[in-house]
Amino acid sequence: MLEVKSFPIDLSHIEIDRNKLNACLFTGLYEETTDVGGKSRRFYTYLKPGLSYARPCVFVVPDDRQDTLTYLENSFWMDFAEKADVFLFVLTPENGRWNLDGSDAEYINRVYMQVQSRRYYVTIQDTMYAAGIGAGAVVAQQAAMKMTSEWAGLATFGDLGAEAMRNANAVHNREDTGRTEMAIVGAKAPLPVWMFWSGNTGANAEACAYWKRQNQVDPERYQNADADEIYFPATVWKKSLLNEQPLSEVRITNGFHGEVTAGIWAPVWKFLKRAFRYRSRGKMLRRRREPGDYGLEVHSLWHDGFQRFWYEYVPDSVKESKEPVPLVTAQHARGSSAEFFISLSDVTAIAEERGFIAVFPQASCYQQKPGGIPNIPLWNGSCQGKDFDDTGFILKMIADVKSRRSIDSSRVYALGQSSGAMMTSALGLSASGEFAAVACSSALIDPEREVPQPEAIDPAVPYLFLFGENDWLVAGKDGGELEFGCNPDIARFVRRLMALYHLDPRPMEYSSGEIHFYVYRNSRKVPMLTVGRIADMSHAIYPRETWLMYDEFMSRFSRREDGTLLYMGEPALSERGH
């Protein structure tokens, strides 16, 4: 008999792991509830021992022919969660039977939102995958069709009835989730799908045709040892593949009549986990980068009584070179992880192309809600009365890398998004002598903290700041302040930078695609501050941003041993420092 636990009410005094700040504080099977149309509905959450935050999430919609807990106890799902290192959420029908009228699809999508509340653990919405079995396959199809842009993959096991197509033309309304990283777009979008059934006829064929249209696949049919039909996305691809990648295959396995086993699920999970969906302009899909597969190494050190770690990427060309190379440190957002930022930022691809070493440090933590978990990932956080010195950690990390690798100290750069951008900005202020330039996305300072305006930045470090016009943290109301329309906190910080660097308050302006740039120059016409406002963009980052950060801004700056800042090889500042 499975032991089902309940989360405690007050979590603030639970001891965190000093060896692993981003470790989940609970282990085992828990019952949770979510509100669906004013009614409380149950679901089950399994947290494996040693689980880290921000790992992929698998939602299982089981068959309703047996009790949910009995099925879970006799199935492979918890063992899978332990081996795959994922969050497992198991849905349960209200009265022993799934409702196929669309209401249970709404229940699944509400659970999707509930598990991102950060009350007991921390997940991210970019890696959410659904698996439906038996009658649960119909409900999972309905949920995915209605809120396609929020899911990263779908697998169903069992024949589908006509009810599966109930939401073929329905769309979950866009939802404003307030001051959170979660953004619900609720649009139709491509989605990797694998469907198991007796045969591709009737309602099954109708669902297959739907997903083939949705995923814009080529008509040619392929197969492998596990799938009888495989349809790949169209080979004619007009986009650059920089921000979005064609990953949405439709896979079909015919002749399925039995139970879902670990052996059947293994290739399905391998297929699904390749893709993640990120909160960019249109909820695009990209391939997940497993750190080990791409040659990233984990390094760690002790700092202020806590073991801190980072991922390190060294391109093969750099390993073979004896010449010093640039170093880029990339900071992830609040509630996210260094591991996920590898996939989200595309910095390893830039490092490979441009020949530099990239490091992805893991943030410290803080308590976001009264009585909530005390270790939500955040830069320069605090835990149970202790403030974290993340600037000290990052500088110690850089020193460690320099002790092992040949680093060009004149070209050390920092970039980050959201809380990671706040950390990047803090590095520019308090450790400017280490960095030749910094680039920030979605934030510059934390508006919820008292952040004193800098008295001086010596030596001066240039700033690039990119944000979305729909960013809840940055964009100002009623047009906002300054030319680019930001909120008052950001405006105060930018004005201070402009004063310290004696910049011309009249920016040079230009547009490139979806980004409108405002370039503020000093007396030598050097762009010491550049701001980019991104159309139709929320609080997020996408690969084009990081490529711009390096190619169009950071790489143009360097610093001599005496601290002199250079712009394209020439002194960036006058003798008077501006």
Side-chain angles (χ1 to χ4, degrees):
M1 189 72 177
L2 290 175
E3 178 190 4
V4 181
K5 307 176 186 179
S6 297
F7 289 109
I9 296 175
D10 187 356
L11 317 177
S12 58
H13 300 294
I14 295 176
E15 198 67 29
I16 64 173
D17 187 346
R18 287 179 172 267
N19 292 284
K20 190 178 180 183
L21 286 173
N22 67 331
C24 189
L25 301 178
F26 301 97
T27 297
L29 183 64
Y30 291 83
E31 181 180 295
E32 295 193 66
T33 60
T34 190
D35 182 85
V36 185
K39 183 183 295 185
S40 181
R41 293 288 300 274
R42 292 180 299 134
F43 66 96
Y44 298 100
T45 300
Y46 180 65
L47 307 171
K48 57 150 277 189
L51 182 64
S52 299
Y53 291 153
R55 290 292 300 161
C57 300
V58 176
F59 294 70
V60 178
V61 191
D63 199 348
D64 57 9
R65 290 177 295 178
Q66 61 177 307
D67 172 73
T68 302
L69 288 177
T70 301
Y71 169 74
L72 184 58
E73 183 175 23
N74 296 326
S75 72
F76 66 93
W77 287 109
M78 291 193 296
D79 184 59
F80 154 72
E82 294 184 8
K83 292 178 179 177
D85 198 26
V86 300
F87 286 85
L88 181 67
F89 302 102
V90 182
L91 291 296
T92 186
E94 187 175 19
N95 297 307
R97 290 290 180 270
W98 289 113
N99 296 314
L100 305 184
D101 60 0
S103 58
D104 276 346
E106 181 64 19
Y107 156 60
I108 294 171
N109 287 333
R110 284 295 152 189
V111 172
Y112 168 101
M113 299 180 204
Q114 175 71 23
V115 303
Q116 296 171 68
S117 65
R118 297 178 179 172
R119 176 62 180 167
Y120 309 114
Y121 43 79
V122 181
T123 66
I124 50 177
Q125 90 178 96
D126 311 76
T127 54
M128 302 283 180
Y129 308 90
I133 305 165
V138 175
V139 180
Q141 287 277 346
Q142 292 175 345
M145 287 182 184
K146 190 171 184 180
M147 208 163 77
T148 318
S149 58
E150 313 311 307
W151 295 96
L154 169 69
T156 59
F157 303 85
D159 287 330
L160 304 173
E163 299 91 344
M165 301 300 295
R166 176 178 291 274
N167 289 334
N169 298 313
V171 175
H172 186 98
N173 292 331
R174 180 186 293 263
E175 288 195 33
D176 181 4
T177 59
R179 298 174 67 83
T180 73
E181 282 75 19
M182 183 169 69
I184 303 298
V185 174
K188 298 293 187 184
L191 181 71
V193 177
W194 195 335
M195 295 171 286
F196 289 68
W197 47 43
S198 61
N200 198 351
T201 60
N204 296 340
E206 194 174 353
C208 178
Y210 171 87
W211 288 114
K212 288 167 68 176
R213 291 192 302 272
Q214 193 67 42
N215 292 350
Q216 299 177 347
V217 301
D218 275 338
E220 191 163 359
R221 169 179 161 178
Y222 298 87
Q223 66 181 80
N224 63 17
D226 301 300
D228 301 300
E229 303 177 41
I230 301 176
Y231 301 95
F232 292 99
T235 53
V236 176
W237 188 257
K238 296 181 180 180
K239 298 183 180 180
S240 69
L241 305 186
L242 175 60
N243 296 320
E244 185 176 16
Q245 297 171 338
L247 301 172
S248 298
E249 298 174 23
V250 175
R251 293 192 174 189
I252 306 295
T253 297
N254 297 309
F256 176 80
H257 299 282
E259 298 295 323
V260 182
T261 65
I264 291 174
W265 173 252
V268 176
W269 176 239
K270 184 178 180 181
F271 163 72
L272 293 178
K273 72 176 183 178
R274 296 183 307 176
F276 76 94
R277 193 180 297 282
Y278 65 104
R279 292 150 286 168
S280 179
R281 306 173 71 248
K283 290 293 187 79
M284 300 174 184
L285 287 172
R286 285 183 57 83
R287 185 176 294 276
R288 282 186 65 229
R289 293 178 183 265
E290 293 285 356
D293 294 343
Y294 282 83
L296 286 102
E297 297 179 348
V298 180
H299 294 266
S300 64
L301 56 80
W302 284 87
H303 180 67
D304 284 350
F306 294 89
Q307 183 167 248
R308 307 297 299 274
F309 73 90
W310 68 93
Y311 289 92
E312 190 170 310
Y313 184 73
V314 183
D316 290 338
S317 60
V318 170
K319 293 177 182 177
E320 299 167 0
S321 174
K322 296 181 180 179
E323 294 296 321
V325 298
L327 176 67
V328 175
T329 176
Q331 286 67 241
H332 65 82
R334 176 180 70 169
S336 189
S337 68
E339 177 182 338
F340 185 67
F341 201 55
I342 293 166
S343 297
L344 187 64
S345 66
D346 213 31
V347 170
T348 55
I350 309 172
E352 190 68 42
E353 295 286 346
R354 302 297 185 253
F356 62 80
I357 292 174
V359 288
F360 301 83
Q362 178 65 38
S364 56
C365 58
Y366 84 126
Q367 183 179 322
Q368 184 175 353
K369 301 175 183 178
I373 52 176
N375 66 333
I376 294 177
L378 180 86
W379 291 100
N380 281 335
S382 61
C383 179
Q384 298 167 345
K386 177 180 176 56
D387 292 333
F388 288 97
D389 172 26
D390 281 338
T391 296
F393 159 53
I394 290 177
L395 292 178
K396 192 179 289 188
M397 174 193 69
I398 291 173
D400 182 273
V401 176
K402 287 181 175 180
S403 72
R404 295 178 287 102
R405 301 289 183 184
S406 181
I407 300 298
D408 182 351
S409 294
S410 73
R411 294 184 291 167
V412 177
Y413 310 105
L415 64 86
Q417 191 258 332
S418 191
S419 171
M422 299 174 195
M423 185 68 242
T424 298
S425 181
L427 292 171
L429 299 180
S430 61
S432 61
E434 184 68 59
F435 300 95
V438 297
C440 304
S441 170
S442 312
L444 277 174
I445 59 171
D446 188 345
E448 297 179 355
R449 300 183 184 184
E450 286 292 333
V451 180
Q453 295 294 314
E455 295 292 330
I457 305 176
D458 187 21
V461 60
Y463 270 72
L464 171 65
F465 176 43
L466 303 172
F467 74 99
E469 65 179 5
N470 301 322
D471 191 323
W472 57 266
L473 186 64
V474 177
K477 297 180 180 179
D478 301 321
E481 298 186 20
L482 298 174
E483 296 80 9
F484 45 86
C486 64
N487 66 38
D489 294 313
I490 296 292
R492 280 193 294 272
F493 183 85
V494 168
R495 289 190 180 104
R496 184 58 182 160
L497 278 182
M498 293 170 63
L500 289 173
Y501 293 165
H502 304 281
L503 304 183
D504 187 338
R506 299 162 299 176
M508 302 287 286
E509 296 185 40
Y510 71 99
S511 292
S512 175
E514 72 278 10
I515 308 178
H516 189 80
F517 290 96
Y518 303 81
V519 182
Y520 299 88
R521 303 181 297 169
N522 64 11
S523 60
R524 284 182 175 261
K525 308 302 182 185
V526 173
M528 292 295 292
L529 170 65
T530 298
V531 178
R533 182 182 176 99
I534 307 171
D536 193 29
M537 180 73 173
S538 61
H539 186 73
I541 191 172
Y542 62 117
R544 188 190 174 208
E545 285 187 65
T546 49
W547 282 90
L548 285 169
M549 286 174 176
Y550 190 80
D551 280 353
E552 302 300 320
F553 191 76
M554 295 191 303
S555 65
R556 300 184 179 188
F557 291 92
S558 59
R559 193 180 295 283
R560 291 175 180 163
E561 287 187 13
D562 64 2
T564 300
L565 183 68
L566 304 178
Y567 178 66
M568 295 195 288
E570 298 294 329
L573 308 176
S574 67
E575 293 182 358
R576 293 181 295 170
H578 54 80

